[in-house]
Coordinates of all heavy atoms in Angstrom, one line a residue:
M256 N -1.3 -27.1 -20.1 CA -0.8 -26.8 -18.8 C -1.6 -25.6 -18.2 O -1.7 -24.6 -18.8 CB 0.7 -26.4 -19.0 CG 1.4 -26.1 -17.7 SD 3.2 -26.2 -17.9 CE 3.6 -24.5 -17.8
S257 N -2.1 -25.8 -17.1 CA -2.9 -24.7 -16.4 C -2.0 -23.9 -15.4 O -1.1 -24.5 -14.9 CB -4.2 -25.2 -15.8 OG -3.8 -26.1 -14.7
R258 N -2.4 -22.7 -15.3 CA -1.7 -21.9 -14.3 C -2.7 -21.4 -13.3 O -3.8 -21.0 -13.6 CB -1.1 -20.7 -15.0 CG 0.4 -20.8 -15.2 CD 0.9 -19.5 -15.9 NE 0.9 -18.4 -14.9 CZ 1.3 -17.2 -15.2 NH1 1.6 -16.9 -16.4 NH2 1.3 -16.2 -14.3
T259 N -2.2 -21.3 -12.0 CA -3.1 -20.7 -11.0 C -3.1 -19.2 -11.2 O -2.0 -18.5 -11.3 CB -2.6 -21.0 -9.6 OG1 -2.5 -22.4 -9.5 CG2 -3.5 -20.4 -8.5
P260 N -4.3 -18.5 -11.3 CA -4.3 -17.1 -11.5 C -3.8 -16.4 -10.3 O -4.0 -16.8 -9.2 CB -5.8 -16.8 -11.8 CG -6.5 -18.0 -11.4 CD -5.6 -19.1 -11.3
S261 N -3.2 -15.2 -10.5 CA -2.7 -14.4 -9.5 C -3.7 -13.5 -8.9 O -4.6 -13.0 -9.7 CB -1.5 -13.6 -10.0 OG -1.1 -12.6 -9.0
L262 N -3.6 -13.1 -7.7 CA -4.5 -12.2 -7.1 C -4.0 -10.7 -7.3 O -4.7 -9.8 -7.0 CB -4.7 -12.4 -5.5 CG -5.4 -13.7 -5.2 CD1 -5.4 -13.9 -3.7 CD2 -6.8 -13.8 -5.7
R263 N -2.8 -10.6 -7.8 CA -2.2 -9.3 -7.8 C -3.0 -8.2 -8.6 O -3.0 -7.1 -8.2 CB -0.7 -9.4 -8.4 CG 0.2 -10.0 -7.4 CD 1.6 -10.2 -7.9 NE 2.5 -10.7 -6.9 CZ 3.2 -9.9 -6.0 NH1 3.1 -8.6 -6.2 NH2 3.9 -10.5 -5.1
P264 N -3.6 -8.6 -9.7 CA -4.4 -7.6 -10.4 C -5.5 -7.0 -9.6 O -6.0 -5.9 -9.9 CB -4.9 -8.3 -11.7 CG -3.9 -9.4 -11.9 CD -3.5 -9.8 -10.5
L265 N -6.0 -7.7 -8.6 CA -7.1 -7.2 -7.7 C -6.6 -6.1 -6.8 O -7.4 -5.3 -6.3 CB -7.7 -8.4 -7.0 CG -8.4 -9.5 -7.8 CD1 -8.8 -10.6 -6.8 CD2 -9.5 -8.9 -8.5
Y266 N -5.3 -6.1 -6.5 CA -4.8 -5.1 -5.5 C -3.7 -4.2 -6.2 O -2.7 -4.0 -5.7 CB -4.3 -5.9 -4.3 CG -5.4 -6.8 -3.7 CD1 -5.4 -8.1 -3.9 CD2 -6.4 -6.2 -3.0 CE1 -6.4 -8.9 -3.4 CE2 -7.4 -7.0 -2.5 CZ -7.4 -8.3 -2.7 OH -8.4 -9.1 -2.2
N267 N -4.1 -3.7 -7.3 CA -3.1 -2.8 -8.1 C -3.4 -1.4 -7.7 O -4.4 -0.8 -8.3 CB -3.4 -3.1 -9.6 CG -2.4 -2.3 -10.4 OD1 -1.4 -1.8 -9.9 ND2 -2.7 -2.0 -11.6
Y268 N -2.7 -0.9 -6.8 CA -2.9 0.5 -6.3 C -1.7 1.4 -6.9 O -0.6 1.1 -6.5 CB -2.9 0.6 -4.8 CG -4.0 -0.3 -4.2 CD1 -3.7 -1.4 -3.5 CD2 -5.3 0.1 -4.3 CE1 -4.6 -2.2 -2.9 CE2 -6.3 -0.6 -3.7 CZ -6.0 -1.8 -3.0 OH -6.9 -2.5 -2.4
P269 N -2.0 2.4 -7.7 CA -0.9 3.2 -8.2 C -0.1 3.8 -7.1 O -0.7 4.4 -6.1 CB -1.7 4.3 -9.0 CG -3.0 3.7 -9.3 CD -3.3 2.7 -8.2
G270 N 1.2 3.8 -7.2 CA 2.1 4.3 -6.2 C 2.5 3.3 -5.1 O 3.2 3.6 -4.2
W271 N 1.9 2.1 -5.2 CA 2.2 1.1 -4.2 C 2.7 -0.2 -4.9 O 2.3 -0.5 -6.0 CB 0.9 0.8 -3.4 CG 0.4 2.0 -2.6 CD1 -0.4 2.9 -3.1 CD2 0.8 2.4 -1.3 NE1 -0.6 3.9 -2.1 CE2 0.2 3.6 -1.1 CE3 1.7 1.9 -0.4 CZ2 0.3 4.3 0.1 CZ3 1.8 2.5 0.8 CH2 1.2 3.7 1.1
V272 N 3.4 -1.0 -4.2 CA 4.0 -2.2 -4.7 C 3.5 -3.3 -3.7 O 3.6 -3.2 -2.5 CB 5.5 -2.2 -4.7 CG1 6.1 -3.6 -5.1 CG2 6.0 -1.1 -5.6
I273 N 3.0 -4.4 -4.3 CA 2.6 -5.6 -3.4 C 3.9 -6.3 -2.9 O 4.7 -6.8 -3.7 CB 1.7 -6.5 -4.2 CG1 0.4 -5.8 -4.6 CG2 1.4 -7.8 -3.3 CD1 -0.5 -6.6 -5.5
Q274 N 4.0 -6.4 -1.6 CA 5.2 -7.1 -1.1 C 4.9 -8.6 -1.0 O 5.7 -9.4 -1.3 CB 5.6 -6.5 0.3 CG 6.4 -5.3 0.2 CD 7.0 -5.0 1.6 OE1 6.2 -4.8 2.5 NE2 8.2 -4.9 1.7
E275 N 3.7 -8.8 -0.5 CA 3.3 -10.2 -0.3 C 1.8 -10.4 -0.2 O 1.1 -9.4 0.2 CB 3.9 -10.9 0.8 CG 3.4 -10.6 2.2 CD 4.0 -11.4 3.3 OE1 4.3 -12.6 3.2 OE2 4.3 -10.8 4.4
I276 N 1.2 -11.5 -0.6 CA -0.1 -11.8 -0.4 C -0.2 -13.2 0.3 O 0.4 -14.2 -0.2 CB -0.9 -11.9 -1.7 CG1 -0.9 -10.6 -2.4 CG2 -2.4 -12.4 -1.5 CD1 -1.6 -10.6 -3.8
K277 N -0.9 -13.2 1.4 CA -1.0 -14.5 2.1 C -2.5 -14.8 2.2 O -3.3 -13.8 2.4 CB -0.5 -14.4 3.6 CG 1.0 -14.4 3.7 CD 1.3 -14.4 5.2 CE 2.9 -14.4 5.3 NZ 3.2 -14.4 6.8
L278 N -2.9 -16.0 2.0 CA -4.3 -16.3 2.1 C -4.5 -17.7 2.6 O -3.7 -18.6 2.4 CB -5.0 -16.2 0.7 CG -4.6 -17.1 -0.4 CD1 -5.8 -17.3 -1.4 CD2 -3.5 -16.6 -1.2
N279 N -5.6 -17.9 3.3 CA -6.1 -19.2 3.7 C -7.6 -19.1 3.6 O -8.2 -18.2 3.0 CB -5.6 -19.5 5.1 CG -6.1 -18.6 6.2 OD1 -7.2 -18.1 6.2 ND2 -5.1 -18.2 7.1
T280 N -8.3 -20.1 4.2 CA -9.8 -20.2 4.0 C -10.5 -19.0 4.8 O -11.7 -18.8 4.5 CB -10.3 -21.5 4.5 OG1 -9.9 -21.7 5.8 CG2 -9.7 -22.6 3.6
E281 N -9.8 -18.3 5.7 CA -10.5 -17.3 6.5 C -10.0 -15.9 6.3 O -10.8 -15.0 6.5 CB -10.4 -17.7 8.0 CG -11.0 -19.0 8.3 CD -10.9 -19.4 9.8 OE1 -10.4 -18.6 10.5 OE2 -11.3 -20.5 10.1
V282 N -8.8 -15.7 5.8 CA -8.2 -14.4 5.8 C -7.4 -14.3 4.5 O -6.6 -15.2 4.1 CB -7.3 -14.1 7.0 CG1 -6.6 -12.8 6.9 CG2 -8.0 -14.3 8.3
V283 N -7.5 -13.1 3.8 CA -6.5 -12.7 2.8 C -5.8 -11.5 3.3 O -6.4 -10.5 3.8 CB -7.2 -12.4 1.5 CG1 -6.2 -11.8 0.5 CG2 -7.9 -13.6 0.9
M284 N -4.5 -11.6 3.4 CA -3.7 -10.4 3.8 C -2.8 -10.0 2.7 O -2.0 -10.7 2.1 CB -2.8 -10.9 5.0 CG -2.1 -9.8 5.7 SD -0.5 -9.3 5.0 CE 0.5 -10.8 5.2
V285 N -2.9 -8.7 2.3 CA -2.1 -8.1 1.3 C -1.2 -7.0 1.9 O -1.7 -6.1 2.6 CB -3.0 -7.4 0.2 CG1 -2.2 -6.8 -0.9 CG2 -4.0 -8.4 -0.3
R286 N 0.1 -7.2 1.8 CA 1.0 -6.3 2.3 C 1.6 -5.4 1.2 O 2.1 -5.9 0.2 CB 2.2 -7.0 3.1 CG 3.1 -6.1 3.8 CD 4.2 -6.9 4.6 NE 3.6 -7.8 5.5 CZ 3.2 -7.5 6.8 NH1 3.4 -6.2 7.2 NH2 2.7 -8.4 7.6
L287 N 1.5 -4.1 1.4 CA 1.9 -3.1 0.4 C 3.0 -2.3 0.9 O 3.2 -2.0 2.2 CB 0.8 -2.2 0.0 CG -0.5 -2.7 -0.5 CD1 -1.6 -1.6 -0.7 CD2 -0.3 -3.5 -1.8
R288 N 3.9 -1.8 0.1 CA 4.9 -0.7 0.5 C 4.8 0.4 -0.6 O 4.3 0.1 -1.7 CB 6.2 -1.3 0.6 CG 6.9 -1.7 -0.7 CD 8.4 -1.9 -0.5 NE 9.0 -2.5 -1.7 CZ 9.2 -1.8 -2.9 NH1 8.8 -0.6 -3.0 NH2 9.7 -2.5 -3.9
R289 N 5.3 1.5 -0.3 CA 5.4 2.6 -1.2 C 6.3 2.2 -2.4 O 7.3 1.6 -2.2 CB 5.9 3.9 -0.5 CG 6.0 5.1 -1.4 CD 6.3 6.3 -0.5 NE 7.7 6.3 0.0 CZ 8.7 6.8 -0.7 NH1 8.5 7.3 -1.9 NH2 10.0 6.7 -0.3
D290 N 5.9 2.7 -3.6 CA 6.8 2.5 -4.7 C 8.0 3.5 -4.6 O 7.7 4.7 -4.7 CB 6.0 2.7 -6.0 CG 6.8 2.5 -7.3 OD1 8.0 2.4 -7.2 OD2 6.2 2.4 -8.3
L291 N 9.1 3.0 -4.4 CA 10.3 3.9 -4.1 C 10.8 4.6 -5.3 O 11.6 5.5 -5.2 CB 11.4 3.0 -3.5 CG 11.1 2.3 -2.1 CD1 12.2 1.4 -1.7 CD2 10.7 3.3 -1.1
R292 N 10.2 4.3 -6.4 CA 10.6 5.0 -7.7 C 9.9 6.4 -7.7 O 10.3 7.3 -8.4 CB 10.3 4.2 -8.9 CG 11.1 2.9 -9.1 CD 10.5 2.1 -10.2 NE 9.1 1.7 -9.9 CZ 8.4 1.0 -10.7 NH1 8.9 0.6 -11.9 NH2 7.1 0.7 -10.4
L293 N 8.9 6.5 -6.9 CA 8.1 7.8 -6.9 C 8.5 8.6 -5.7 O 8.7 8.1 -4.6 CB 6.6 7.4 -6.8 CG 6.1 6.6 -8.0 CD1 4.6 6.2 -7.8 CD2 6.3 7.3 -9.3
K294 N 8.5 9.9 -5.9 CA 8.9 10.8 -4.7 C 7.6 11.1 -3.9 O 6.5 11.1 -4.5 CB 9.4 12.1 -5.3 CG 10.7 12.0 -6.2 CD 11.9 11.8 -5.4 CE 13.1 11.8 -6.3 NZ 14.2 11.2 -5.6
I295 N 7.8 11.4 -2.7 CA 6.7 11.9 -1.8 C 6.6 13.4 -2.2 O 7.5 14.2 -2.2 CB 7.1 11.8 -0.4 CG1 7.3 10.3 0.0 CG2 6.0 12.3 0.5 CD1 7.9 10.1 1.3
C296 N 5.3 13.8 -2.4 CA 5.0 15.2 -2.8 C 4.1 15.9 -1.8 O 3.2 15.2 -1.3 CB 4.4 15.3 -4.2 SG 5.5 14.8 -5.5
C297 N 4.3 17.1 -1.6 CA 3.5 17.9 -0.7 C 2.1 18.1 -1.4 O 2.1 18.4 -2.6 CB 4.1 19.3 -0.5 SG 3.0 20.5 0.4
P298 N 1.0 17.8 -0.7 CA -0.3 17.8 -1.4 C -0.7 19.3 -1.6 O -1.7 19.5 -2.4 CB -1.2 17.2 -0.4 CG -0.5 17.3 0.9 CD 0.9 17.3 0.6
H299 N -0.1 20.3 -1.0 CA -0.5 21.6 -1.2 C 0.3 22.3 -2.3 O -0.4 22.9 -3.2 CB -0.2 22.4 0.1 CG -1.0 21.9 1.3 ND1 -2.4 22.0 1.4 CD2 -0.6 21.2 2.4 CE1 -2.8 21.4 2.5 NE2 -1.7 20.9 3.1
C300 N 1.6 22.2 -2.3 CA 2.4 22.9 -3.4 C 3.0 21.9 -4.4 O 3.5 22.4 -5.4 CB 3.5 23.7 -2.8 SG 4.8 22.7 -2.0
L301 N 2.8 20.6 -4.2 CA 3.2 19.6 -5.1 C 4.7 19.5 -5.3 O 5.2 18.8 -6.2 CB 2.6 19.7 -6.5 CG 1.0 19.7 -6.5 CD1 0.5 19.9 -7.9 CD2 0.5 18.4 -5.8
R302 N 5.5 20.2 -4.4 CA 7.0 20.0 -4.4 C 7.3 18.7 -3.7 O 6.6 18.1 -3.0 CB 7.6 21.2 -3.6 CG 7.4 22.5 -4.2 CD 8.2 23.5 -3.4 NE 8.0 24.8 -3.9 CZ 7.8 25.9 -3.2 NH1 7.8 25.8 -1.9 NH2 7.6 27.1 -3.8
V303 N 8.5 18.3 -4.0 CA 9.0 17.0 -3.4 C 9.1 17.3 -1.9 O 9.5 18.3 -1.4 CB 10.4 16.6 -3.9 CG1 11.0 15.4 -3.2 CG2 10.3 16.3 -5.4
A304 N 8.6 16.3 -1.1 CA 8.6 16.4 0.3 C 9.5 15.4 0.9 O 9.9 14.4 0.3 CB 7.1 16.2 0.8
G305 N 9.9 15.6 2.1 CA 10.7 14.7 2.9 C 9.9 13.8 3.7 O 8.7 14.0 3.9
E306 N 10.4 12.7 4.1 CA 9.7 11.7 4.9 C 10.0 12.0 6.4 O 11.1 12.0 6.8 CB 10.1 10.3 4.6 CG 9.3 9.2 5.3 CD 9.7 7.8 4.9 OE1 9.9 7.6 3.7 OE2 9.9 7.0 5.8
N307 N 8.9 12.2 7.1 CA 9.0 12.5 8.5 C 9.0 11.3 9.4 O 9.8 11.0 10.2 CB 7.9 13.5 8.9 CG 8.2 14.1 10.3 OD1 9.3 14.3 10.7 ND2 7.1 14.4 11.0
R308 N 7.9 10.5 9.1 CA 7.8 9.2 9.8 C 7.0 8.2 9.0 O 6.2 8.6 8.2 CB 7.2 9.4 11.2 CG 5.8 9.8 11.3 CD 5.4 9.9 12.7 NE 4.0 10.3 12.7 CZ 3.1 9.9 13.5 NH1 3.4 9.1 14.5 NH2 1.8 10.3 13.5
L309 N 7.1 7.0 9.4 CA 6.4 5.9 8.7 C 5.7 5.0 9.7 O 6.3 4.6 10.7 CB 7.4 5.1 7.8 CG 6.9 4.0 6.9 CD1 7.8 3.9 5.7 CD2 6.8 2.7 7.7
V310 N 4.4 4.8 9.5 CA 3.7 3.9 10.4 C 3.0 2.8 9.6 O 2.4 3.1 8.5 CB 2.6 4.8 11.2 CG1 1.8 3.9 12.1 CG2 3.3 5.9 12.0
I311 N 3.0 1.6 10.1 CA 2.3 0.6 9.5 C 0.8 0.6 9.9 O 0.5 0.6 11.1 CB 2.9 -0.8 9.8 CG1 4.4 -0.9 9.5 CG2 2.1 -2.0 9.1 CD1 4.7 -0.7 8.0
Q312 N -0.1 0.7 8.9 CA -1.5 0.7 9.2 C -2.2 -0.4 8.4 O -1.6 -1.0 7.5 CB -2.1 2.0 8.9 CG -1.5 3.1 9.8 CD -2.3 4.4 9.6 OE1 -3.0 4.7 8.6 NE2 -2.1 5.3 10.6
S313 N -3.5 -0.6 8.8 CA -4.2 -1.7 8.0 C -5.7 -1.2 7.8 O -6.2 -0.3 8.5 CB -4.2 -3.0 8.8 OG -5.0 -2.9 10.0
A314 N -6.2 -1.7 6.7 CA -7.6 -1.4 6.4 C -8.3 -2.7 5.9 O -7.6 -3.6 5.3 CB -7.7 -0.3 5.3
K315 N -9.6 -2.8 6.1 CA -10.3 -3.9 5.5 C -10.8 -3.6 4.2 O -11.2 -2.5 3.8 CB -11.5 -4.3 6.5 CG -11.1 -4.8 7.8 CD -12.4 -5.2 8.6 CE -12.0 -5.8 9.9 NZ -13.2 -6.0 10.7
D316 N -10.7 -4.6 3.3 CA -11.2 -4.5 2.0 C -12.5 -5.3 1.8 O -12.9 -6.1 2.7 CB -10.1 -4.9 1.0 CG -10.3 -4.3 -0.4 OD1 -11.3 -3.5 -0.6 OD2 -9.5 -4.6 -1.3
L317 N -13.0 -5.3 0.6 CA -14.3 -6.1 0.3 C -13.9 -7.6 0.4 O -12.8 -8.0 0.1 CB -14.7 -5.7 -1.1 CG -15.2 -4.3 -1.3 CD1 -15.5 -4.0 -2.8 CD2 -16.4 -4.0 -0.4
P318 N -14.9 -8.3 0.8 CA -14.7 -9.8 0.8 C -14.3 -10.3 -0.5 O -14.6 -9.8 -1.6 CB -16.1 -10.4 1.2 CG -16.8 -9.2 1.8 CD -16.3 -8.0 1.1
L319 N -13.5 -11.4 -0.5 CA -13.0 -12.1 -1.7 C -13.6 -13.5 -1.8 O -13.1 -14.4 -1.1 CB -11.5 -12.1 -1.7 CG -10.8 -12.7 -3.0 CD1 -11.1 -11.8 -4.2 CD2 -9.3 -12.7 -2.7
G320 N -14.6 -13.7 -2.6 CA -15.2 -15.0 -2.6 C -15.8 -15.4 -1.2 O -16.4 -14.6 -0.6
P321 N -15.4 -16.6 -0.7 CA -16.0 -17.0 0.6 C -15.2 -16.4 1.7 O -15.5 -16.6 2.9 CB -15.8 -18.5 0.5 CG -14.6 -18.7 -0.4 CD -14.7 -17.6 -1.4
V322 N -14.1 -15.7 1.4 CA -13.2 -15.1 2.5 C -13.8 -13.7 2.8 O -13.8 -12.8 2.0 CB -11.8 -15.0 2.1 CG1 -11.0 -14.4 3.2 CG2 -11.3 -16.4 1.7
N323 N -14.3 -13.5 4.1 CA -14.9 -12.3 4.5 C -13.9 -11.2 4.9 O -14.1 -10.1 4.8 CB -15.9 -12.5 5.6 CG -17.2 -13.1 5.0 OD1 -17.6 -12.7 3.9 ND2 -17.8 -14.0 5.8
L324 N -12.7 -11.7 5.5 CA -11.7 -10.8 6.0 C -10.6 -10.6 5.0 O -9.8 -11.5 4.8 CB -11.2 -11.2 7.4 CG -10.1 -10.3 8.0 CD1 -10.7 -8.9 8.2 CD2 -9.7 -10.9 9.3
V325 N -10.6 -9.5 4.4 CA -9.5 -9.1 3.5 C -8.8 -7.9 4.1 O -9.4 -6.8 4.3 CB -9.9 -8.8 2.0 CG1 -8.8 -8.3 1.2 CG2 -10.7 -10.0 1.5
Q326 N -7.6 -8.1 4.5 CA -6.8 -7.0 5.2 C -5.7 -6.5 4.3 O -4.9 -7.2 3.8 CB -6.3 -7.6 6.5 CG -5.8 -6.6 7.4 CD -5.4 -7.2 8.8 OE1 -5.0 -8.4 8.8 NE2 -5.5 -6.4 9.8
I327 N -5.7 -5.2 4.2 CA -4.7 -4.5 3.4 C -3.7 -3.8 4.5 O -4.2 -3.0 5.3 CB -5.2 -3.4 2.5 CG1 -6.3 -3.9 1.6 CG2 -4.1 -2.7 1.7 CD1 -6.0 -4.9 0.6
I328 N -2.5 -4.2 4.5 CA -1.5 -3.6 5.4 C -0.5 -2.8 4.6 O 0.0 -3.2 3.5 CB -0.7 -4.7 6.1 CG1 -1.7 -5.6 6.9 CG2 0.3 -4.2 7.1 CD1 -1.2 -6.8 7.5
Y329 N -0.4 -1.5 5.0 CA 0.4 -0.6 4.2 C 1.2 0.4 5.1 O 0.9 0.5 6.2 CB -0.6 0.2 3.3 CG -1.6 1.1 4.0 CD1 -1.4 2.4 4.3 CD2 -2.7 0.5 4.5 CE1 -2.3 3.2 5.0 CE2 -3.7 1.2 5.3 CZ -3.4 2.6 5.5 OH -4.3 3.3 6.2
E330 N 2.1 1.1 4.4 CA 2.9 2.0 5.1 C 2.3 3.4 4.9 O 2.1 3.9 3.9 CB 4.3 2.1 4.4 CG 5.1 0.9 4.5 CD 6.4 0.9 3.7 OE1 6.6 1.9 2.8 OE2 7.3 0.1 3.9
A331 N 1.9 4.0 6.1 CA 1.4 5.4 6.1 C 2.5 6.3 6.3 O 3.2 6.2 7.3 CB 0.3 5.5 7.1
I332 N 2.8 7.2 5.4 CA 3.9 8.1 5.5 C 3.5 9.5 5.8 O 2.7 10.0 5.0 CB 4.8 8.0 4.2 CG1 5.2 6.5 3.9 CG2 5.9 9.0 4.2 CD1 5.5 6.2 2.5
Q333 N 4.1 10.0 6.8 CA 3.9 11.5 7.1 C 5.1 12.2 6.5 O 6.3 11.9 6.8 CB 3.8 11.7 8.6 CG 3.6 13.2 8.9 CD 3.7 13.4 10.4 OE1 4.7 13.1 11.0 NE2 2.6 13.9 11.0
G334 N 4.8 13.1 5.6 CA 5.9 13.9 5.0 C 6.0 15.3 5.5 O 5.2 15.7 6.3
Y335 N 7.0 16.0 5.1 CA 7.1 17.5 5.4 C 7.6 18.2 4.2 O 8.3 17.6 3.4 CB 8.1 17.7 6.6 CG 9.5 17.3 6.3 CD1 10.4 18.2 5.8 CD2 9.9 16.0 6.6 CE1 11.7 17.8 5.6 CE2 11.2 15.6 6.4 CZ 12.1 16.5 5.8 OH 13.4 16.1 5.6
C336 N 7.0 19.4 4.0 CA 7.3 20.1 2.8 C 8.7 20.7 2.8 O 9.1 21.3 3.8 CB 6.2 21.3 2.7 SG 6.4 22.2 1.1
L337 N 9.4 20.6 1.7 CA 10.7 21.1 1.6 C 10.7 22.5 1.0 O 11.7 23.2 0.8 CB 11.6 20.2 0.7 CG 11.8 18.8 1.3 CD1 12.5 17.9 0.2 CD2 12.6 18.8 2.5
G338 N 9.5 23.0 0.7 CA 9.3 24.3 0.2 C 9.7 25.4 1.2 O 9.6 25.2 2.4
A339 N 10.1 26.6 0.7 CA 10.6 27.7 1.6 C 9.5 28.0 2.6 O 9.8 28.2 3.8 CB 10.9 28.9 0.8
N340 N 8.3 28.1 2.2 CA 7.2 28.6 3.2 C 6.4 27.4 3.6 O 5.5 27.5 4.5 CB 6.3 29.6 2.5 CG 7.1 30.8 2.1 OD1 8.0 31.2 2.8 ND2 6.6 31.5 1.1
G341 N 6.6 26.2 3.0 CA 5.8 25.1 3.4 C 4.4 25.2 2.8 O 3.5 24.5 3.3
N342 N 4.2 26.0 1.8 CA 2.9 26.2 1.2 C 3.0 26.2 -0.3 O 4.0 26.2 -0.8 CB 2.1 27.4 1.7 CG 2.8 28.7 1.4 OD1 3.8 28.7 0.7 ND2 2.4 29.7 2.1
Ligands
ZN614 ZN1 4.3 22.4 0.2

């Protein structure tokens, strides 16, 4: 019995979860969301940060076989520092 291999290992980004992968002969679309088990952290003081806003963005990835357009769609999250000074 053969199994169709999954594309999921190709798009394994730490901190992100693959919501869906759609593909046809011209486009591969990978939709990601933040891994909700992980907290958002301030990049300056590394404290847990709050979520200010979320915007859906996309980026192109390397071609996959004969498919030239590989689009990664992801949630871009703007956080705010919960630290006393914000630093
Ligand atoms: Zn901070």
Side-chain angles (χ1 to χ4, degrees):
M256 184 164 107
S257 67
R258 257 183 72 184
T259 303
S261 171
L262 295 176
R263 288 179 176 267
L265 296 176
Y266 302 103
N267 182 21
Y268 302 108
W271 298 90
V272 175
I273 296 173
Q274 278 190 304
E275 76 176 320
I276 297 176
K277 287 185 178 176
L278 66 152
N279 61 40
T280 56
E281 297 178 5
V282 178
V283 174
M284 189 276 296
V285 180
R286 185 177 302 275
L287 305 173
R288 70 162 171 78
R289 181 172 72 88
D290 185 344
L291 300 176
R292 295 173 297 180
L293 304 175
K294 302 282 188 198
I295 300 171
C296 293
C297 172
H299 300 290
C300 67
L301 302 180
R302 292 183 186 141
V303 173
E306 184 178 316
N307 194 31
R308 69 179 179 144
L309 183 150
V310 178
I311 303 299
Q312 294 190 341
S313 67
K315 289 183 180 175
D316 201 2
L317 296 173
L319 182 64
V322 180
N323 285 324
L324 180 56
V325 177
Q326 190 172 31
I327 309 292
I328 299 171
Y329 61 97
E330 299 173 343
I332 299 158
Q333 180 188 56
Y335 62 94
C336 183
L337 297 172
N340 299 328
N342 58 14

